[in-house]
Amino acid sequence: MVPTGAYGTWPSPIEASLAAARDGHPEYVAAVGDEVWWTEPRPTEDGRRTLVRRHADGTEEPVLPAPWNVRTTVLEYGGQPWAGAVREAGPLVVFSHFPDQRLYAYEPDGDTPPRPLTPLSPVGGGLRWADPVIHLDLGEVWCVLEEFTGERPGDVRRVIAAVPLDGSAAGDRTAVRELTDGRHGFVTGARRSPDGRHVAWIAWDHPRMPWEGTVVLTAEVNGSGPFTGVRQVAGGDDEAVCQVDWAADGSLLYVSDGGGWWEPYRLRPGSGPQSLCTGRTEEFGGPLWQIGLRWFHPLDNGLVAVVHGRGATSLGILDPETGELVDAPGPWTAWTPTLAVHGTRVFGVAASPRSAYEVVELDTSTGRTRVIGSPHDDPVDPAYYPEPQIRTFTGPDNREIHAHIYPPHSPDRIAPDDELPPFVVWAHGGPTGHVPLVLDLEIAYFTSRGIGVAEVNYGGSTGYGRAYRERLRGQWGVVDVEDCAAVAEALAAEGTADPARLAIRGGSAGGWTAALSLAATRLYACGTLLYPVLDLTGWAEEAHDFESRYPEYLIGPPDEVPARYRERAPLSLVDRITAPFLLLQGLDDVVCPPAQSERFLAAMAGRGTPHGYLAFAGEGHGFRRADTMIRALESELSLYVQTFGITRFDVPPLELRK
């Protein structure tokens, strides 16, 4: 007989150290000859990312030992940090090294260490590089160059550049060849046509974010000079194109939301854009938070591998001639925007509610899928994993709200019949983002102990079309707060959650939502704020360039609605926050700087609200080090134990000050 235990008191084999060790997932998969490579996190090695190589015989090995860290900080959120090519001597890899942001070339089959390709710069953040593509015929690697020209966050220019593979630019900035003129504030990497004569890329400018409006530009390759004949062929102020590439026949493929959903289009010379998959109310793209994301990849036979779906996503093979779309078999419910192709094989990264993110291969000649790279074996009995529910709730004005509900679950305990479980509402970051339905050991850490989790894809989230995404236009701090509250209230009303033991938690933009939820309602007993946005009054001067004008979309133009910036900021509403909270902050965070948290805490001082504050040196926006994640997760559990009146003695105590 399974013993009875109060919610929150259940024993669990899913420790914080396990959740931390399994944090992160494979990214940026690519085919290098007949091998498959990708980046992979190493939380226990100071949070670095390594490059993993899967040989043709199926064996795996990390390519770069510590302290090499394959990661770029372009746009602060990063992007494609590496590229590979095959030469007679073996593979050649070009990658961005996180500590100095230089590009390095490395021949893993040789006996020499990585050698720098780009110079260091003494100005501001120096030179940063992303989305590299190696062109062996030109002896260059093309990539996005982000160059800081002054001390302010906005003193930055971005161009597409060509870096010599011979290392001549390692000490000479002038040896870097600029291929575009910097007329646009933001650019993606250039994609070269099959005949090598043309290129295509995406660009946009302030005040728009890339999910508001972007343009597709094409040009001719001009020998040793910059691109020529630049012209706009797609996109616009109110049309967001998130990816562009060339098909094997030389036609241009791109994904645009001009029809209300991100859909694939084809553009041939002398004809207008052709929709390749009409009548499907689902997304074939997403928000361009990072440079080099891939939601589709052309195959040599004319077919196109696509990531698509509404909420959940699948990997499919699209026939551009007929519009036929055939999905790959398998249990996966989320595919990340990274795809690679070699011959008839397609590679991607996917996860499901029962499996963490893993590298998956689809053989289009047989229709079979298999896992070829899984960073982690099942660390515990899957019986301890949560059993999620896909739910749709009704919010104010009868609007739909999408959410994933994870009730408490353990094979070792059942709760008393007369007790309702505590629940924590999770507000995702972005806010133009989405939370997928996948296995997350941080969620399992709580559910296996008897605390439920509700992840809310509030209005403004991606994955449900442009209209759903634009619910947040001018309404950040209103719609997100209302939608999270509507889900919490519905769970309490239907008897799924204890109305007296509700909490809210969010990171980054989700931290803004969580803090405002504590101020705007008395629904939550406590809250957890991870590297949150707390103040917008100095945002344009304090924020990094990429998001410096984002509030104009989320709140409104500051010269038109200045009061709204003050009225909605959690910093202005500290007198309304009476519930206990935990604030977690990285001291190296340039997206949500620690100065915001410090101003917020200073304003809260002496008001009698219990709160905890943990600041972590060496951490930026999103925690990467195992010891940080362990302390953060255990401190969050301690907050709930104290606030919800849970009796357990295996949690390090969190000091709550007033």
Side-chain angles (χ1 to χ4, degrees):
M1 177 179 288
V2 179
T4 299
Y7 286 115
T9 67
W10 301 347
S12 172
I14 303 176
E15 300 292 344
S17 57
L18 180 61
R22 299 300 190 270
D23 190 74
H25 56 79
E27 291 181 322
Y28 303 114
V29 62
V32 181
D34 57 359
E35 300 178 350
V36 187
W37 298 40
W38 60 85
T39 67
E40 202 170 273
R42 292 290 186 267
T44 58
E45 298 177 19
D46 287 331
R48 76 180 186 99
R49 294 193 71 89
T50 190
L51 194 57
V52 175
R53 174 185 188 182
R54 185 182 189 274
H55 295 269
D57 63 5
T59 58
E60 286 182 23
E61 64 171 330
V63 175
L64 293 161
W68 293 105
N69 191 348
V70 185
R71 180 181 161 207
T72 176
T73 57
V74 165
L75 303 187
E76 303 304 340
Y77 290 103
Q80 177 80 31
W82 76 281
V86 177
R87 304 190 298 187
E88 286 188 17
L92 170 68
V93 175
V94 172
F95 67 94
S96 171
H97 180 44
F98 176 71
D100 60 16
Q101 287 298 292
R102 300 175 84 179
L103 283 183
Y104 288 80
Y106 181 49
E107 299 176 52
D109 291 345
D111 54 6
T112 58
R115 54 184 175 84
L117 296 181
T118 56
L120 289 169
S121 172
V123 179
L127 308 174
R128 302 175 179 179
W129 316 83
D131 202 10
V133 178
I134 297 173
H135 296 288
L136 293 177
D137 59 324
L138 302 175
E140 296 175 327
V141 55
W142 290 3
C143 49
V144 173
L145 163 60
E146 182 177 71
E147 183 173 21
F148 288 81
T149 58
E151 296 182 357
R152 298 180 305 171
D155 295 335
V156 59
R157 60 190 297 269
R158 298 175 185 88
V159 296
I160 299 172
V163 177
L165 289 170
D166 62 9
S168 58
D172 182 7
R173 168 66 176 83
T174 62
V176 175
R177 192 163 61 93
E178 296 192 5
L179 302 175
T180 58
D181 57 11
R183 74 179 66 178
H184 291 287
F186 303 91
V187 293
T188 65
R191 299 293 178 253
R192 197 175 172 199
S193 62
D195 63 9
R197 298 167 52 199
H198 301 86
V199 289
W201 70 98
I202 296 171
W204 70 97
D205 291 285
H206 283 314
R208 292 175 182 82
M209 299 300 288
W211 42 87
E212 293 182 79
T214 61
V215 295
V216 176
L217 302 175
T218 61
E220 286 81 47
V221 178
N222 182 31
S224 60
F227 298 150
T228 59
V230 178
R231 65 190 184 101
Q232 178 182 334
V233 298
D237 291 346
D238 299 310
E239 180 182 353
V241 176
C242 60
Q243 188 190 338
V244 63
D245 208 341
W246 301 90
D249 65 359
S251 60
L252 192 65
L253 305 177
Y254 64 94
V255 172
S256 166
D257 73 346
W261 297 81
W262 270 304
E263 301 175 64
Y265 290 83
R266 177 169 59 188
L267 191 62
R268 284 174 164 158
S271 62
Q274 172 196 2
S275 175
L276 299 182
C277 208
T278 58
R280 301 179 71 103
T281 54
E282 58 178 338
E283 304 278 41
F284 287 77
L288 199 61
W289 280 101
Q290 298 169 310
I291 301 296
L293 300 181
R294 277 188 174 272
W295 288 270
F296 73 86
H297 201 304
L299 280 75
D300 293 338
N301 60 8
L303 300 177
V304 183
V306 295
V307 172
H308 70 102
R310 181 183 178 122
T313 53
S314 303
L315 173 65
I317 301 299
L318 173 65
D319 185 337
E321 301 302 325
T322 65
E324 182 182 9
L325 179 63
V326 179
D327 284 343
W332 304 285
T333 53
W335 291 78
T336 65
T338 178
L339 291 174
V341 166
H342 180 65
T344 62
R345 295 180 296 158
V346 179
F347 310 98
V349 176
S352 78
R354 307 297 289 178
S355 60
Y357 285 100
E358 51 201 1
V359 182
V360 179
E361 175 193 273
L362 165 66
D363 188 334
T364 60
S365 65
T366 64
R368 295 177 179 174
T369 54
R370 61 171 180 156
V371 176
I372 62 170
S374 182
H376 316 296
D377 296 327
D378 278 338
V380 295
D381 185 342
Y384 289 92
Y385 294 163
E387 298 178 351
Q389 306 164 2
I390 301 174
R391 299 280 303 273
T392 301
F393 296 86
T394 301
D397 302 322
N398 290 317
R399 61 178 182 248
E400 284 189 347
I401 307 166
H402 301 283
H404 305 146
I405 308 303
Y406 297 82
H409 175 77
S410 172
D412 293 335
R413 293 292 187 277
I414 57 173
D417 293 337
D418 59 351
E419 185 184 7
L420 293 175
F423 255 82
V424 184
V425 175
W426 284 24
H428 65 71
T432 308
H434 176 86
V435 60
L437 185 72
V438 298
L439 177 64
D440 183 339
L441 288 191
E442 283 197 12
I443 292 177
Y445 177 78
F446 293 107
T447 57
S448 63
R449 286 167 169 76
I451 299 174
V453 171
E455 290 189 303
V456 182
N457 279 314
Y458 48 79
S461 301
T462 58
Y464 306 98
R466 183 157 186 152
Y468 192 87
R469 192 168 80 240
E470 292 202 335
R471 286 184 189 176
L472 213 57
R473 182 185 287 271
Q475 295 297 308
W476 191 36
V478 179
V479 167
D480 49 326
V481 171
E482 290 177 346
D483 285 3
C484 287
V487 171
E489 289 170 339
L491 293 175
E494 70 187 23
T496 298
D498 184 345
R501 295 192 293 175
L502 296 172
I504 188 162
R505 177 230 222 216
S508 189
W512 158 280
T513 303
L516 281 178
S517 296
L518 295 179
T521 77
R522 292 293 175 264
L523 186 61
Y524 306 104
C526 62
T528 301
L529 319 176
L530 297 95
Y531 33 88
V533 180
L534 297 168
D535 179 21
L536 292 179
T537 55
W539 182 264
E541 295 77 25
E542 198 172 61
H544 65 116
D545 181 60
F546 175 55
E547 291 184 282
S548 61
R549 306 287 294 274
Y550 195 12
E552 296 183 29
Y553 170 86
L554 297 170
I555 304 293
D559 56 339
E560 296 179 16
V561 290
R564 195 182 292 173
Y565 279 69
R566 295 189 300 272
E567 292 166 357
R568 290 196 194 162
L571 180 63
S572 302
L573 303 173
V574 292
D575 59 323
R576 302 184 190 178
I577 298 177
T578 58
F581 66 86
L582 169 62
L583 177 54
L584 302 165
Q585 178 69 52
L587 293 179
D588 292 349
D589 194 338
V590 296
V591 176
C592 295
Q596 288 206 9
S597 290
E598 292 162 4
R599 290 198 297 271
F600 182 76
L601 292 171
M604 288 295 308
R607 295 183 178 275
T609 300
H611 63 274
Y613 177 55
L614 298 178
F616 300 98
E619 291 283 12
H621 197 65
F623 302 147
R624 295 176 178 270
R625 296 176 175 175
D627 54 349
T628 300
M629 291 184 280
I630 292 169
R631 191 177 180 200
L633 203 54
E634 291 179 341
S635 297
E636 184 178 355
L637 178 59
S638 180
L639 172 70
Y640 303 147
V641 166
Q642 295 181 53
T643 306
F644 295 155
I646 296 170
T647 301
R648 62 183 313 144
F649 304 100
D650 58 347
V651 183
L654 170 69
E655 180 183 1
L656 296 177
R657 300 180 179 180
K658 297 183 180 181

